[in-house]
């Protein structure tokens, strides 16, 4: 299975026919710039290209009223003055005689993509469409949006592709007994990362428990368009849909005005005193366990965009896409929404498509220190959602909404007008944007994405196409030099395995291979890991993360100089001997793995009884990750696969996994697939962590927080931990 790209050139037909500074940025060049970027980088050629079809009026009727559809049909025969008069009845909308056709194509493209993904023809995909849709409501256009393509796609998926899976018992949420375990539904997650709140989508599904709407957006305490009270964190849905609307509002972006005054030059963005926190869109999404993920993929929060005036760099969208791919068995359908700086839009779309294709996401750059206002927003979301989700009820009573995060009563005061300092900052930003985009173009994918080095061939091993079986080894003198301090590497079999590890590691470090898997005899695992760490640090890695699962101790003479972060999952107790040496135990009873709600920007955060990857990884920013499954690691294949998949993020996909040579071909195969960009297998149901587990995790976090600022997110948001049940 591959990635679909759905498009039709007719969607460039609609354009503004009169002067309107507010609407002129929604132009046909948005699509052509994005498509040309995909073509220039060879990404379109790697996708399955589908030509969009028009949605039928019956399909439009899944969301929109017949009267509204008839009104839009009638615009085909209107003159310019009539179109302008009709457009003036809506907020930030323009109509063209071809708008009805273009908007039907946009919806049809989304439906084609859903059909292709749900039938297994492709794994995921992007519908490159305009006009956008997430502001559109049942009987109203709004914010450049005509028909709500994502909402219609969700209804279409539920109607046509209902998978008849039972709602698990663990999805029953206190105090909402209306969610019945025997109810058969198709659960759809809609993630909306457009800089503007998608109020249209929220209104459509606010009472529907089979659709979880998760939006993060600029809000500024209701001073950013669309200026709605219901865009705040305490808007959580209605009736049976309580808890199925999740809004994460950003309140202190520090840009001067949501829209520049008419005829004024559009600024690029206003730099923040601290980088904004991009949310991990997996809570309470993990507990919801969606069968399909729809993305309202707006790129107006990207650096340089005149609407968002924020500074998300293109690679941020690759990381967000990669994180979503661990949900719903990788069934992700993205639909273009906003994005109005043509070059930034093009590069951001390319980054997203690369992630959908399975390419590793480039490392995130810059310091990772959470903005204080972002921490308040996350706390506000947890307070609003805790009554409805077990995964947020970890620290006793639910927190109280902070007064500083609530929307002000009455009419909100306007933001400050544009000043000379903001215009100067915008000029500097444009220069930085040009330099950034040049660097991204110079970051090619390695010629070999994944390589596997085994000690002996295995006829039962099935690898994805394109995965290289490596047979070559390091030079004998190099192997012997590295092996000399270790008795466990004296045997020929261990030395041969070490040679393959060293050769593969060199290929990772010189950019010839993106990721790899290497097998080693069990008695030699610790020694091989020690050599791999030292070799990596001496051969070019500036910062190395080692995640050692099972009975593997940190090498006693490993220098604690800040260049290596050792995370041992399998110690006797939770401990942090230093800020670069963290130990957490595996659960003694279940033998399974605990999974915590994500707490950081670009890395997973796990509970203290299983697969751990703490928030400090985001601050550490490694350029090489070693993950070793040692003796008694206790992980089932899906758990090991999810851990490995999430570890692709911090180092731009540069991951080397060391496994026991006696590991099953199934484990090798599933690790190869996730490193190659496929979705990890489903983990199945989970239950809550014990109070003892939670207390141990919180004690561990305390001494680490001063060094690793991203752990503050855990403090503000709460640490939601759940235990995975282990099959007998």
């Amino acid at each position: 299975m591959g990635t679909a790209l759905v498009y039709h050139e007719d969607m460039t037909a609609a354009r503004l026919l009169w002067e309107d500074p507010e609407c002129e940025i929604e132009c046909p060049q948005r699509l052509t710039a994005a498509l040309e970027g995909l073509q220039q980088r060879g990404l379109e050629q790697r996708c399955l290209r589908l030509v969009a079809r028009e949605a039928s009026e019956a399909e439009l009727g899944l969301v929109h009223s017949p009267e509204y559809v008839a009104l839009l049909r009638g615009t085909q025969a209107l003159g310019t003055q009539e179109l302008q008069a009709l457009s003036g009845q809506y907020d930030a909308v323009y109509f063209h005689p071809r708008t009805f056709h273009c908007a039907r194509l946009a919806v049809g493209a989304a439906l084609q993509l859903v059909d292709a993904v749900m039938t297994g023809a492709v794994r995921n995909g992007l519908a490159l469409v305009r006009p956008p849709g997430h502001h559109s409501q049942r009987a109203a256009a709004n914010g450049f949006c005509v028909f709500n393509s994502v909402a219609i796609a969700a209804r279409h998926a539920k109607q046509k592709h209902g998978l008849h899976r039972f709602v698990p018992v663990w999805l029953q949420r206190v105090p909402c007994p209306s969610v019945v375990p025997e109810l058969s539904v198709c659960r759809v997650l809609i993630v909306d990362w457009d800089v503007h709140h998608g109020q249209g989508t929220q209104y459509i599904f606010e009472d529907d428990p089979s659709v979880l709407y998760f939006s993060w957006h600029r809000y500024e305490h209701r001073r950013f368009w669309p200026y709605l009270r219901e865009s705040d964190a305490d808007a959580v849905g209605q009736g049976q849909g309580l808890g199925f609307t999740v809004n994460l509002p950003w309140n202190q972006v520090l840009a001067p005005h949501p829209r520049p005054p008419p005829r004024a030059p559009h600024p690029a963005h206003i730099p923040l005193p601290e980088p904004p926190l991009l949310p991990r869109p997996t809570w309470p999404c993990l507990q919801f366990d969606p069968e399909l993920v729809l993305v309202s993929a707006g790129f107006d929060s990207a650096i340089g965009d005149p609407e968002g005036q924020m500074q998300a760099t293109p690679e941020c969208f690759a990381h967000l896409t990669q994180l979503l791919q661990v949900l719903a068995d990788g069934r992700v359908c993205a639909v273009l929404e906003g994005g109005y700086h043509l070059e930034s839009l093009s590069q951001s779309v390319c980054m997203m498509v690369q992630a959908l294709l399975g390419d590793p996401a480039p490392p995130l750059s810059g310091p990772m220190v959470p903005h204080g206002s972002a921490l308040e927003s996350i706390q506000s979301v947890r307070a609003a959602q805790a009554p409805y989700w077990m995964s947020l009820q970890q620290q006793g009573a639910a927190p109280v909404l902070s007064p500083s995060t609530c929307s002000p009563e009455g009419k909100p005061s306007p933001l400050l007008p544009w000043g000379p300092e903001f215009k100067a900052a915008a000029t500097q930003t444009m220069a930085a944007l040009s330099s950034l985009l040049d660097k991204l173009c110079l970051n090619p994918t390695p010629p070999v994405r994944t390589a596997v080095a085994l000690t002996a061939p295995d006829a039962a091993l099935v690898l994805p196409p394109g995965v290289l079986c490596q047979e070559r080894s390091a030079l004998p003198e190099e192997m012997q030099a590295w092996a000399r301090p270790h008795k466990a590497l004296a045997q020929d079999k261990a030395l041969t395995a070490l040679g393959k590890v060293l050769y593969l590691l060199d290929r990772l470090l010189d950019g010839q291979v993106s990721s790899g898997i290497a097998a080693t005899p069990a008695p030699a695992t610790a020694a091989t890991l020690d050599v791999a760490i030292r070799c990596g640090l001496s051969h070019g890695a500036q910062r190395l993360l080692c995640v050692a699962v099972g009975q593997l101790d940190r090498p006693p003479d490993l220098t604690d100089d800040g260049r290596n972060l050792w995370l041992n999952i399998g110690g006797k107790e939770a401990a942090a001997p230093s800020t670069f040496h963290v130990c957490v135990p595996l659960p003694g009873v279940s033998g399974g793995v605990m999974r915590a709600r994500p707490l950081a920007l670009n890395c997973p955060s796990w509970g203290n009884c299983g697969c751990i990857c703490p928030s400090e990884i985001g601050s550490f920013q490694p350029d090489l990750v070693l993950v070793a499954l040692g003796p008694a690691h206790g992980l089932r294949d899906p758990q090991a696969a999810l851990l490995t998949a999430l570890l692709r993020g911090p180092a731009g996909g540069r991951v080397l996994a060391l496994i026991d040579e006696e590991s099953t071909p199934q484990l090798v195969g599933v690790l190869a697939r996730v490193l190659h960009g496929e979705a990890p297998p489903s983990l199945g149901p989970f239950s809550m962590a014990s109070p003892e587990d939670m207390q141990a995790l919180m004690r561990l976090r305390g001494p680490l927080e001063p060094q690793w600022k991203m752990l503050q997110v855990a403090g503000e948001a709460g640490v939601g931990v759940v235990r995975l049940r282990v099959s007998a």
Side-chain angles (χ1 to χ4, degrees):
M1 294 194 296
T3 296
L5 179 64
V6 193
Y7 174 77
H8 197 295
E9 63 182 6
D10 280 4
M11 283 185 281
T12 63
R15 58 187 176 84
L16 185 63
L17 298 176
W18 53 87
E19 186 175 342
D20 185 339
E22 184 177 40
C23 291
E24 65 187 7
I25 58 174
E26 205 298 289
C27 59
Q29 290 79 8
R30 297 178 58 239
L31 287 195
T32 55
L35 186 62
E36 287 171 2
L38 293 171
Q39 292 168 341
Q40 291 169 4
R41 300 182 76 165
L43 298 172
E44 183 200 27
Q45 297 87 324
R46 295 172 57 191
C47 296
L48 174 64
R49 178 70 181 271
L50 300 176
V51 178
R53 66 169 176 85
E54 280 192 335
S56 68
E57 293 197 11
E59 289 168 333
L60 299 178
L62 291 173
V63 163
H64 297 288
S65 70
E67 295 78 11
Y68 177 66
V69 174
L71 175 69
L72 267 294
R73 187 193 320 117
T75 60
Q76 299 174 101
L78 297 182
T80 300
Q81 291 184 345
E82 295 170 304
L83 290 167
Q84 186 174 5
L86 179 61
S87 302
Q89 299 178 25
Y90 301 99
D91 184 5
V93 170
Y94 71 86
F95 294 118
H96 180 277
R98 300 278 282 171
T99 292
F100 186 60
H101 175 56
C102 291
R104 288 178 66 185
L105 284 174
V107 175
L111 301 187
Q112 277 183 284
L113 179 57
V114 166
D115 288 342
V117 168
M118 296 302 287
T119 58
V122 296
R123 179 175 56 196
N124 55 43
L126 168 66
L128 200 58
V129 304
R130 65 179 287 270
H134 69 144
H135 298 306
S136 176
Q137 299 152 43
R138 173 171 168 77
N142 185 263
F144 308 153
C145 300
V146 178
F147 295 132
N148 198 315
S149 301
V150 167
I152 296 171
R155 289 262 172 91
H156 173 80
K158 286 157 45 64
Q159 182 183 84
K160 184 175 180 180
H161 302 287
L163 301 183
H164 306 295
R165 282 167 50 174
F166 293 123
V167 175
V169 173
W170 49 262
L171 189 53
Q172 296 181 76
R173 303 162 307 129
V174 179
C176 294
S178 58
V179 180
V180 183
E182 290 76 22
L183 179 65
S184 179
V185 298
C186 176
R187 294 184 301 281
V188 179
L189 167 66
I190 298 176
V191 172
D192 188 339
W193 68 50
D194 190 280
V195 78
H196 302 101
H197 178 232
Q199 81 277 28
T201 308
Q202 175 172 311
Y203 295 155
I204 291 164
F205 295 112
E206 60 188 353
D207 60 353
D208 186 345
S210 68
V211 176
L212 174 60
Y213 176 67
F214 191 129
S215 172
W216 59 92
H217 45 269
R218 191 173 168 197
Y219 186 57
E220 302 285 356
H221 296 297
R222 202 177 162 191
R223 291 179 294 169
F224 191 76
W225 194 91
Y227 314 114
L228 297 174
R229 180 66 180 81
E230 53 267 37
S231 302
D232 208 352
D234 57 357
V236 298
Q238 298 182 3
Q240 289 192 336
L242 282 170
F244 291 98
T245 294
V246 182
N247 284 319
L248 179 50
W250 299 136
N251 284 319
Q252 194 176 347
V253 178
L254 303 183
H257 198 277
R259 294 179 189 267
R263 302 180 186 275
H266 290 301
H269 82 297
I270 303 305
L272 306 183
E274 298 174 86
L277 178 72
L278 287 177
R280 285 290 308 276
T282 49
W283 58 273
C285 308
L286 290 170
Q287 185 177 343
F288 183 64
D289 189 25
E291 298 170 272
L292 174 66
V293 178
L294 297 174
V295 183
S296 277
F299 298 99
D300 38 10
S301 63
I303 183 171
D305 193 274
E307 280 290 285
Q309 305 152 24
M310 294 181 71
Q311 59 178 9
T313 52
E315 69 269 19
C316 291
F317 299 104
H319 284 268
L320 290 172
T321 304
Q322 197 173 78
L323 293 170
L324 289 175
Q325 288 174 289
V326 306
L327 301 169
D329 296 324
R331 290 188 289 267
V332 177
C333 298
V335 181
L336 180 65
E337 299 282 2
Y340 306 99
H341 184 286
L342 298 184
E343 182 65 15
S344 187
L345 168 65
S346 174
Q347 295 293 339
S348 299
V349 167
C350 285
M351 282 290 167
M352 180 182 197
V353 172
Q354 282 186 222
L356 291 172
L357 287 164
D359 294 353
L364 291 167
S365 58
M368 295 191 183
V369 179
H371 194 289
S373 175
L375 298 179
E376 291 181 353
S377 292
I378 294 172
Q379 166 72 357
S380 182
V381 174
R382 179 178 179 259
Q385 295 291 334
Y388 310 108
W389 295 97
M390 293 190 300
S391 56
L392 300 180
Q393 299 170 5
Q394 296 296 326
Q395 297 180 351
V400 178
L401 277 169
S402 169
S404 64
T405 65
C406 295
S407 297
E409 294 298 326
K411 185 178 180 180
S413 59
L415 295 172
L416 296 175
W418 293 101
E421 68 276 14
F422 296 117
K423 295 178 181 178
T427 301
Q428 295 174 0
T429 297
M430 293 307 297
L433 172 60
S434 177
S435 174
L436 171 68
L437 296 178
D438 288 343
K439 290 179 182 179
L440 288 175
C441 292
L442 296 175
N443 189 16
T445 301
V448 177
R449 187 186 295 172
T450 309
V452 175
L454 303 179
T455 54
D458 191 330
L461 177 61
V462 179
L463 295 174
V467 174
L468 174 69
C469 285
Q470 176 199 293
E471 299 295 337
R472 300 183 65 179
S473 182
L475 296 174
E477 53 269 26
E478 182 184 6
M479 294 189 303
Q480 293 167 2
W482 284 108
R484 195 169 292 121
H486 300 279
K487 293 182 180 180
L489 297 175
Q491 296 183 356
D492 290 344
K493 192 174 185 181
L495 190 62
T496 299
L498 177 64
K500 293 186 176 183
V501 171
L502 292 172
Y503 184 85
L504 181 53
L505 186 57
D506 281 343
R507 300 288 76 75
L508 282 165
L509 292 172
D510 66 16
Q512 295 302 305
V513 175
S514 176
S515 59
I517 303 168
T520 184
T525 302
T528 302
L529 181 58
D530 178 47
V531 169
I533 294 171
R534 299 178 193 279
C535 180
L537 291 172
S538 65
H539 286 194
Q542 298 302 310
R543 290 176 300 278
L544 186 150
L545 165 68
C546 180
V547 180
V549 188
Q551 298 174 2
L552 291 170
D553 294 328
R554 184 176 186 264
D557 56 344
L558 190 62
T559 305
D560 196 7
D561 58 1
R563 292 186 63 202
N564 63 86
L565 172 59
W566 174 276
L567 178 60
N568 178 224
I569 306 167
K572 293 182 180 179
E573 61 181 0
S578 77
T579 54
F580 296 96
H581 180 190
V582 182
C583 300
V584 290
L586 286 164
V589 178
S590 70
V593 59
M594 295 187 71
R595 179 172 60 188
R597 177 166 55 77
L599 307 177
L601 175 65
N602 74 323
C603 57
S605 179
W606 298 75
N608 69 307
C609 295
C611 285
I612 311 294
C613 186
S615 298
E616 64 254 33
I617 295 174
S619 302
F620 184 62
Q621 294 180 278
D623 48 15
L624 176 64
V625 175
L626 299 177
V627 54
L629 302 182
H633 62 74
L635 302 185
R636 294 183 291 117
D637 292 358
Q639 298 160 351
L642 180 58
L643 172 63
T644 305
L646 291 173
L647 286 172
R648 295 181 75 218
R654 190 181 287 181
V655 178
L656 176 58
L658 297 178
I659 61 173
D660 183 351
E661 66 176 354
E662 299 299 325
S663 298
T664 65
Q666 289 75 20
L667 175 60
V668 178
V670 74
L671 293 182
R673 286 192 289 276
V674 297
L675 288 175
H676 208 54
E678 296 185 22
S682 173
L683 291 173
F686 58 83
S687 59
M688 302 302 294
S690 69
E692 294 78 15
D693 291 335
M694 281 303 308
Q695 291 172 7
L697 182 59
M698 298 307 296
R699 285 196 303 269
L700 179 63
R701 195 199 60 162
L704 294 172
E705 186 173 303
Q707 172 70 27
W708 306 112
K709 301 300 183 183
M710 290 304 295
L711 284 173
Q712 295 175 18
V713 184
E716 295 296 336
V719 184
V721 186
V722 290
R723 178 179 291 121
L724 300 175
R725 297 194 182 98
V726 179
S727 300

